[in-house]
Amino acid sequence: MRKILSIIGIYLLSFIYFVMILFLSHLTNTYALRTTITHLDLINSLTGLLFFPVSLIWFRALIRNTRDNPGATSESALNRGVDSSAYFLAVQTSNATVLIPGGYDSIIFKILLLFCIDLTLYIFSLPLLILMILSKIFNWHLFETIILAFESHRYRKEMKPSKLISPVDLQKLTALIQESQCKLIFIGSPRDRLSRLIVPKLKYALKLNSIQAYYFDFADADPDDYQSLFYRIGITALPSLMITNGDGSVTSIDLDHLEKAIQFWSQKSTR
């Protein structure tokens, strides 16, 4: 039932774009409408009936099957400050304007943005469909590569140095494990899908508890260099989130329950 409603919605959107293109293509300099049928009308009709619906359904399927889908987050309106006091997150209105009430994160702006993106896909639906067919026939994986590149770029942007994330190299990672103070360390990579899925939950948990994690990108290092270290401290799978024990050993955190584990460790370390 959901698929049928989705297809109906796509054809309704296609009809709206068809009428828009039809109106603009027949509008004259005197703001009158031409009644003659042109080759553009034929292309517009084929685009509305075939090219756009097929290319949009296929393109959405590619995105859905390729991009990271973390699912629903467990974020709430409550946040904990540095002094462990609770307060409500303020609504960000710095990007709000007269034309876009509520800012770029508002539902109105998102709908308009999606409408414009789909309109662009409508205009270029035929070459897009041809590219997807060629990519499928010759196994180019063109669109999958582009989508994964965007996901990796988003990951790198999230893991830049900040109050929550402190990137380290292998030498610094080894030193942190040997230090007497307990540290929170995340080992991941933009090339690893599970790492990309964990980042939103990890950053939310760090912000919620006002703590910082050290980050090591295993893709930037030679496996021969870090494998011996990981074997010694008991890291058998990547990505990994761990807490140093202050004696050269580490305790791994279950990634399925990282929010609760980080909260427990944060409360314990502040006592």
Side-chain angles (χ1 to χ4, degrees):
M1 185 64 181
R2 184 178 297 179
K3 289 184 178 180
I4 295 176
L5 292 176
S6 177
I7 293 174
I8 293 174
I10 289 174
Y11 271 96
L12 179 61
L13 187 64
S14 182
F15 176 74
I16 294 174
Y17 293 145
F18 168 79
V19 173
M20 288 176 56
I21 300 298
L22 182 66
F23 176 79
L24 293 175
S25 63
H26 282 257
L27 190 64
T28 64
N29 295 333
T30 58
Y31 299 102
L33 292 177
R34 290 193 301 267
T35 57
T36 56
I37 298 177
T38 64
H39 293 292
L40 180 60
D41 295 331
L42 178 59
I43 297 175
N44 189 25
S45 300
L46 289 174
T47 300
L49 290 173
L50 181 64
F51 301 149
F52 176 71
V54 173
S55 61
L56 184 59
I57 293 173
W58 194 351
F59 189 65
R60 285 181 177 179
L62 284 173
I63 294 176
R64 184 173 58 254
N65 297 330
T66 306
R67 71 171 300 182
D68 303 330
N69 183 20
T73 60
S74 60
E75 297 186 17
S76 63
L78 279 175
N79 195 0
R80 193 158 65 89
V82 179
D83 58 351
S84 298
S85 60
Y87 60 91
F88 285 94
L89 292 175
V91 178
Q92 296 181 355
T93 58
S94 59
N95 56 8
T97 65
V98 176
L99 297 177
I100 310 176
Y104 300 115
D105 293 328
S106 65
I107 187 65
I108 296 176
F109 178 79
K110 289 181 178 179
I111 292 175
L112 289 175
L113 180 61
L114 185 61
F115 185 84
C116 293
I117 292 175
D118 286 340
L119 177 59
T120 304
L121 290 177
Y122 182 91
I123 296 172
F124 297 100
S125 58
L126 179 56
L128 177 65
L129 184 59
I130 293 174
L131 272 177
M132 287 192 292
I133 293 174
L134 292 176
S135 180
K136 180 69 174 180
I137 293 175
F138 296 104
N139 291 322
W140 292 344
H141 303 291
L142 176 63
F143 294 94
E144 292 88 342
T145 303
I146 294 174
I147 294 170
L148 288 176
F150 274 108
E151 294 296 325
S152 297
H153 173 73
R154 185 179 63 175
Y155 175 92
R156 292 188 179 94
K157 186 178 179 180
E158 289 289 332
M159 301 306 288
K160 285 183 177 180
S162 64
K163 293 181 179 180
L164 302 177
I165 303 294
S166 179
V168 296
D169 56 15
L170 183 60
Q171 183 178 1
K172 178 63 176 178
L173 175 66
T174 305
L176 288 172
I177 295 174
Q178 298 298 330
E179 285 185 3
S180 57
Q181 295 181 344
C182 296
K183 303 291 184 180
L184 183 65
I185 300 175
F186 174 64
I187 302 174
S189 169
R191 302 176 188 174
D192 178 65
R193 186 171 187 267
L194 185 55
S195 297
R196 298 194 301 267
L197 289 172
I198 290 170
V199 165
K201 294 182 179 180
L202 174 63
K203 293 199 69 174
Y204 171 71
L206 295 176
K207 182 180 180 181
L208 190 67
N209 296 280
S210 301
I211 58 175
Q212 185 184 58
Y214 293 90
Y215 166 61
F216 173 72
D217 185 352
F218 63 83
D220 288 342
D222 190 341
D224 294 335
D225 294 334
Y226 62 72
Q227 279 180 352
S228 58
L229 172 65
F230 288 0
Y231 178 79
R232 180 172 59 82
I233 61 179
I235 300 298
T236 58
L238 296 173
S240 177
L241 182 64
M242 59 187 183
I243 299 172
T244 61
N245 297 322
D247 57 359
S249 63
V250 299
T251 300
S252 296
I253 294 179
D254 184 359
L255 297 177
D256 292 330
H257 304 90
L258 66 87
E259 294 181 14
K260 292 182 179 179
I262 291 176
Q263 183 181 14
F264 175 78
W265 175 73
S266 174
Q267 293 173 350
K268 183 179 179 181
S269 62
T270 55
R271 290 176 183 176

